[in-house]
Amino acid sequence: MDQREKWQSSFGFVLAAAGSAVGLGNLWGFAYRSSQGGGLAFLLLYVLVVLIVCLPVLVGEMVLGRSTASSPFIAPVKAAGDSWKPLGWLFAIASCGILSFYAVIMGWTADTFFHSLFIGLPIDMNQAGDFFEKISSGKSVFIGQILSLALTALVVAGGVRGGIERLTRWCMPLLFALLLILAIWASTLSGAWDGYTSFLFRWEPSQLLDKTTIRNAFTQAFFSLSLGIGIMVAYSSYLSKNNKLPKEALTVASFDTAVGLLAGMITFPIVMSFGLKDAVGASTIGSLFIALPTGFANLGVFGRLLAALFFGLAFIAAITSSISLLEVPVSSLMEQFGWRRHKAVWMATLIVFVIGIPSAISLDFLGSMDSIFNVLLILGGLLISILLGWVVPRKYDEDLAGCNSNQRVRRYLKFMLRWVSPPVIAFGLIISIIDLI
Ligand code: PFF
């Protein structure tokens, strides 16, 4: 039998996991959701959800992958028997479903990058509507979707070390550097302070109890950390025994939150400085594909260059996420049917492409997919916390003890995973379903 692939280094694993977490969800989701009225209250709830609920579950997913050394489809069964097969299915379905519409949005991103460099961007809100119409319909959507999926497949076909780790190793530092440069530039805009205070750092205590703000915090935390759909199971199955998972999970979560904040510090100054406030509230993607190109275009040629930087960076962030989504079905097909990596990659890519066709054609369909799969992520998180907190708690404990992680940290995580995560996630799930309906 083939030996299971392994990461070249712990740092490579952390970068790949952070790459999965940091994606389009950070660049538009964070800003959009904090602008829906939540502001600082959203941010506070988000951090609480991450620390109390997501970290123990994130470590749980990692333990599940490492201790079984299996793909996400098989790992739950290996850990706790056949009755956990549905969780494997949930992982496979959710990852393919999310990638199917994620690739469509990646295509819009690539198209906007292309327009920034070669064609030009809209300069007012009227033109912005037409621009978005153009990039999100007709032939160009399919070209973008296919291109994004093909690039994703090529990287995943390169394997864990030669494809995924190699790409994230140079992409993540580049991404962070670009973000910093753009955030510093945005802070010099006339509307910068106004942007920070009216969206990101606005404090309204009543928002802490608002249903939509609570749902937003849960959704954003799970989506942004790529939690609940087996990605971390897949990535951790290539780990060795001595990685200190709690520390690595904390690094990933901190990096992910920092990128979300930095992205907001780019978006809102632009939005306020160029009078594009209404475009942000209009739709989830409004701020990214309508307001931002228009804002950049107002600065002439220099603005188009900045736009190319921003959308180039967004594409890099997206591809380090899409490869992690594809790795879930790929590693599962390889293990289930004994297929070679190449065959699994192209089969999975074809399936994802076909599922994605309705999202490419209809924005409404894409929106519904987004809402439904966001709820499935939370359900996945709930099942993982029950599996490792209640069904096989010793696995969690033994695995973490085996890598010599700090005992107090271990006790905290164990307690949270058992007693706090399940009820809190169940609460978040119920609120999300009610709010969705
Ligand atoms: N975390 C990525 C983002 O924020 O864009 C995308 C993503 C990957 C979402 C994997 C969900 C997921 F399961």
Side-chain angles (χ1 to χ4, degrees):
M1 216 179 92
D2 284 352
Q3 260 233 319
R4 197 167 186 77
E5 295 176 85
K6 285 261 179 287
W7 298 102
Q8 192 168 9
S9 70
S10 308
F11 187 57
F13 162 72
V14 172
L15 280 185
S20 168
V22 171
L24 294 172
N26 299 64
L27 300 182
W28 55 261
F30 204 90
Y32 165 72
R33 295 201 170 95
S34 72
S35 76
Q36 274 199 321
L40 256 189
F42 162 80
L43 201 63
L44 192 70
L45 285 176
Y46 170 85
V47 172
L48 275 179
V49 172
V50 169
L51 288 180
I52 293 177
V53 183
C54 292
L55 266 183
V57 178
L58 183 60
V59 176
E61 270 203 41
M62 291 175 169
V63 166
L64 187 59
R66 176 164 74 178
S67 64
T68 57
S70 299
S71 69
F73 190 67
I74 311 278
V77 174
K78 254 202 186 158
D82 273 347
S83 54
W84 281 84
K85 208 166 195 155
L87 184 57
W89 276 106
L90 176 72
F91 288 158
I93 292 171
S95 54
C96 290
I98 291 181
L99 182 55
S100 75
F101 69 85
Y102 203 76
V104 174
I105 305 179
M106 280 173 81
W108 305 345
T109 311
D111 206 2
T112 311
F113 172 76
F114 187 75
H115 271 80
S116 314
L117 282 181
F118 303 112
I119 301 178
L121 296 169
I123 51 164
D124 57 34
M125 287 313 286
N126 284 335
Q127 286 188 14
D130 295 342
F131 171 76
F132 184 58
E133 172 81 32
K134 202 159 95 194
I135 62 167
S136 64
S137 62
K139 233 178 28 211
S140 49
V141 188
F142 284 105
I143 297 175
Q145 181 203 18
I146 292 172
L147 181 88
S148 305
L149 279 177
L151 282 176
T152 303
L154 278 177
V155 177
V156 177
V160 174
R161 274 191 193 187
I164 299 174
E165 189 168 354
R166 192 143 65 136
L167 179 88
T168 45
R169 218 169 240 278
W170 67 263
C171 274
M172 294 311 286
L174 178 68
L175 179 114
F176 203 69
L178 288 177
L179 263 176
L180 264 182
I181 294 171
L182 283 169
I184 293 171
W185 162 77
S187 72
T188 64
L189 290 173
S190 59
W193 187 246
D194 214 13
Y196 302 148
T197 49
S198 50
F199 290 113
L200 218 46
F201 301 127
R202 189 181 60 193
W203 176 236
E204 260 181 59
S206 65
Q207 285 288 330
L208 285 171
L209 298 175
D210 184 80
K211 247 192 0 258
T212 305
T213 306
I214 296 175
R215 175 184 163 207
N216 276 338
F218 269 93
T219 312
Q220 182 62 25
F222 275 82
F223 190 84
S224 181
L225 283 176
S226 306
L227 214 57
I229 63 168
I231 287 181
M232 295 301 162
V233 178
Y235 273 11
S236 308
S237 70
Y238 308 118
L239 271 181
S240 66
K241 293 287 169 222
N242 42 23
N243 283 62
K244 291 202 175 15
L245 298 183
K247 204 171 105 204
E248 292 173 357
L250 187 64
T251 310
V252 172
S254 315
F255 191 75
D256 186 57
T257 308
V259 170
L261 270 175
L262 269 178
M265 294 174 75
I266 297 171
T267 312
F268 293 122
I270 297 178
V271 166
M272 288 316 264
S273 302
F274 300 103
L276 305 162
K277 203 169 164 183
D278 293 342
V280 179
S283 73
T284 353
I285 36 179
S287 61
L288 192 57
F289 294 101
I290 296 179
L292 286 185
T294 315
F296 283 124
N298 273 279
L299 294 168
V301 178
F302 176 62
R304 274 174 61 181
L305 241 145
L306 286 174
L309 271 189
F310 183 84
F311 286 96
L313 151 142
F315 194 83
I316 293 176
I319 194 163
T320 56
S321 299
S322 64
I323 54 176
S324 71
L325 284 161
L326 188 61
E327 181 61 21
V328 174
V330 166
S331 62
S332 301
L333 287 170
M334 284 167 65
E335 195 172 28
Q336 180 71 20
F337 299 117
W339 287 358
R340 301 185 76 82
R341 181 169 275 275
H342 275 263
K343 181 172 173 191
V345 166
W346 295 109
M347 271 310 284
T349 306
L350 186 68
I351 295 171
V352 169
F353 169 69
V354 173
I355 307 175
I357 292 175
S359 297
I361 296 172
S362 152
L363 279 180
D364 285 341
F365 190 87
L366 190 148
S368 311
M369 290 285 278
D370 183 29
S371 307
I372 293 168
F373 281 103
N374 271 318
V375 174
L376 283 187
L377 293 185
I378 305 179
L379 175 65
L382 177 63
L383 292 173
I384 291 166
S385 67
I386 294 173
L387 176 64
L388 286 150
W390 289 95
V391 182
V392 285
R394 282 188 52 189
K395 250 203 167 54
Y396 196 71
D397 211 24
E398 281 167 8
D399 186 274
L400 294 184
C403 65
N404 261 333
S405 48
N406 183 301
Q407 202 173 0
R408 288 227 322 258
V409 173
R410 229 160 62 209
R411 231 181 282 146
Y412 165 81
L413 287 172
K414 232 172 67 185
F415 178 82
M416 297 310 257
L417 189 72
R418 196 170 162 88
W419 297 104
V420 181
S421 302
V424 177
I425 302 180
F427 167 77
L429 185 63
I430 292 168
I431 297 256
S432 300
I433 293 174
I434 294 174
D435 197 45
L436 178 72
I437 296 170

